[in-house]
Amino acid sequence: MCGIVGYVGPRNAVDVLINGLSKLEYRGYDSAGVAVNTGNHLEIRKNAGKLGVLSEALKGQSLTGTLGIGHTRWATHGRPNDVNAHPHATEDGKIVIIHNGIIENYLPLKESLIAKGHSFKSETDSEVLAHLIEEQYKGNLEQAVRTALKQVRGAYSLVVTHADHREIVAARTVSPLVMGVGNGENFLASDVPALLAYTREVIFLHDGDMVVIHENDYRITDLAGNEVSREVTHIEWDAEAAEKGGFDTYTLKEIFEQPQALTNTLLGRLRDETGEVDLDINLDPKSFKRISIIACGTAFYAGLVGEYLIEQLARIPVEVDVASEYRYRQPLVSENTLAIVISQSGETIDTLEALREAKKDGAKTLGVINAKGSSMTREVDDVLYIHSGPEIGVASTKVYTSMVSAMLMLALWLGRARGTLDSAKGAELIHAARELPRLVEQALEPERVENIKRIAEKYKNARDYLFLGRGVNAPTAFEGALKLKELSYIHAEAYAAGEMKHGPIALIDENLPVVAIATDSFLLEKTISNIQEVRARSGQVIAVVSDGDTDASRHADDVIFVPKAHEMVSPIVNVVALQLLAYFTATTLGKDVDKPRNLAKSVTVE
Ligand code: M6R
């Protein structure tokens, strides 16, 4: 999960690389580095720390050239220091590589290369690639890369250049790689935002593809050397859409983009008259006897809401797994199973491998995915895109609400087709879904935001938080706790409210803020009883309450009013308050919300 950029053309490569890497720092920011062909040799500059450290170091240095490669690192093998930063070079400095992924057999490869006389500088797995390629190099870089990769096991997007060739050779297996097609220039990157300042024409390289780029041409082959043809995709987002757009941080911008993102997710898919949805899915909704939802992190919590909705509306048994467990637990799968993978990036390796596992055992597969052209979209039987637009903040916000609304539409699709949901109930839920952008807009009104900011400030010194929710809003509590942990580093636990008395109640004292989701619900009275249990033990209750509910608000120390929504869609409205609570707690504590420590946006290692 590192970020990669490559460039060949007439521009100053350093500018293209630094600008491209600045759009990829969400993929990792332990170190950054560039290698530029200055005309007669490859010059490397690299530093531990965020990209800013490298750009500062480059100021005032005369590093120029029109071919180069750059990398921003999320450390796996080897500490995040200058030596382990990419690019890595051979001893003579002729061959330079950058790599995203993990070379699983790097140790035996390294030992055999050392035995042949190679000396290594770093602790990384990636450095073996430079030496392996050097071993195979007999004047043709493409051929050397191809032969070297035959010995490699693992995941990579690999970009290589040689001081004596005005070309860049790249290859991918598992880890993502996109090529940008320019006019008299060509680009490589881990993700599209790195390319948008220069071109909108991109090629999503597939697993097992190799590409050689020069300024005026490129050639794509498979690893065996056979030419393959890949479609050029025109990207419609403008560079501005991937920028902060006036907000202090990407995360805040993305929280505020939710009304628009929800509009995009629902657009053209709701049929008010019949209470149906049109999802353009080529799978038979009546053919499934059970559903497996597989995802990680925030996407997993969207899956838990999906479980509730599908079981209620379509009456099919659903199980939800974290992908890293699913892939190893030998799940019972048949051709009557629909495996739904949920993922923002479409590249999360645990989810991708779990998808492969489900497919192997005969399940039909469906992806609920944001990133177009990502690996999962190519491997599932069908895709329901959530259309949230690029999400740069490492902590997911807008994709969560879009994922949940996509799960609602899937539940409607299944329920209507299977006859478990009549048209009147379908129409009622479609009306509720249509209201979502407006309700989320209201949830973001300035006075509500100010109230949440005040509460965040009041409890900022808490050591722990407890989140409670019931029914369809139990996952809202889980997601609220995850956001608080990720952004503020405050420990938070979440429980289904009724479970509190079976253990977590022992934690409650006057120092523990308890966030209780107490919005309009057939279970509200029970939640209020749970709140009383907290208050009887001096816990501090922050209640999330539907507008106008003076009864529920009486039981809390602090109240966050949220717009009243249909219970089945209420998780989408309620979570916005918890995103803001986590966000302002973190900013009050001075945390870097866009890039929380130790995290990466797209987790492409196991
Ligand atoms: O790209 P994905 O949706 O597959 O990512 C899954 C998780 O890694 C992701 O949701 C992670 O938990 C985020 N940090 C949540 O904010």
Side-chain angles (χ1 to χ4, degrees), residues 295-300 342-348 351 376 394-397 399 403 479 482-483 486 599-603:
C296 302
T298 285
F300 171 73
I342 309 178
S343 178
Q344 188 289 126
S345 60
E347 300 292 347
T348 302
T351 312
M376 281 177 222
V394 169
S396 280
T397 52
V399 300
M403 282 169 177
E479 173 60 7
L482 179 66
K483 283 293 87 84
E486 287 186 296
L599 298 182
K601 184 69 183 162
S602 172
V603 184

Side-chain angles (χ1 to χ4, degrees), residues 21-254:
L21 290 175
S22 72
K23 305 290 185 288
L24 297 180
E25 261 199 303
Y26 70 88
R27 300 183 61 82
Y29 34 84
D30 287 328
S31 63
V34 294
V36 174
N37 192 323
T38 59
N40 53 6
H41 73 289
L42 288 164
E43 189 75 33
I44 294 178
R45 299 280 195 281
K46 55 186 190 176
N47 288 96
K50 292 182 181 166
L51 182 65
V53 179
L54 177 71
S55 355
E56 266 313 301
L58 285 171
K59 276 188 191 148
Q61 292 190 19
S62 56
L63 178 61
T64 50
T66 51
L67 181 154
I69 62 179
H71 188 270
T72 177
R73 177 168 187 244
W74 186 80
T76 58
H77 295 56
R79 283 155 294 172
N81 57 23
D82 289 356
V83 178
N84 290 331
H86 295 218
H88 295 289
T90 47
E91 291 95 324
D92 63 2
K94 289 268 190 184
I95 295 174
V96 172
I97 67 109
I98 50 178
H99 167 229
N100 168 32
I102 289 182
I103 305 304
E104 286 176 355
N105 59 336
Y106 83 101
L107 270 178
L109 289 173
K110 188 169 177 175
E111 279 159 16
S112 86
L113 286 160
I114 290 171
K116 286 181 181 149
H118 292 261
S119 66
F120 282 74
K121 292 198 186 80
S122 77
E123 305 159 308
T124 65
D125 55 332
S126 310
E127 194 184 345
V128 294
L129 294 166
H131 298 277
L132 264 187
I133 294 164
E134 184 182 36
E135 271 292 307
Q136 302 302 330
Y137 180 74
K138 296 179 182 65
N140 181 329
L141 183 63
E142 179 186 354
Q143 196 49 50
V145 174
R146 195 183 305 288
T147 316
L149 286 178
K150 292 204 173 101
Q151 302 172 58
V152 166
R153 214 175 52 238
Y156 53 81
S157 55
L158 168 69
V159 175
V160 190
T161 191
H162 189 293
D164 299 343
H165 301 272
R166 192 163 166 74
E167 67 182 14
I168 300 175
V169 179
R172 72 154 289 195
T173 288
V174 182
S175 308
L177 193 59
V178 188
M179 192 197 144
V181 184
N183 194 1
E185 56 186 350
N186 284 310
F187 307 79
L188 291 162
S190 303
D191 198 359
V192 171
L195 306 173
L196 285 181
Y198 309 103
T199 180
R200 287 162 190 288
E201 310 308 316
V202 307
I203 296 172
F204 294 100
L205 295 166
H206 294 200
D207 252 6
D209 281 356
M210 272 189 70
V211 61
V212 183
I213 64 169
H214 305 102
E215 47 261 87
N216 288 313
D217 58 70
Y218 61 88
R219 197 167 71 92
I220 305 173
T221 57
D222 61 20
L223 284 176
N226 306 305
E227 285 218 18
V228 291
S229 128
R230 298 282 176 240
E231 190 188 338
V232 178
T233 304
H234 180 75
I235 297 292
E236 274 148 25
W237 336 315
D238 55 7
E240 187 60 30
E243 301 289 344
K244 287 186 199 148
F247 288 91
D248 288 346
T249 61
Y250 286 112
T251 307
L252 193 60
K253 171 178 170 263
E254 286 155 8

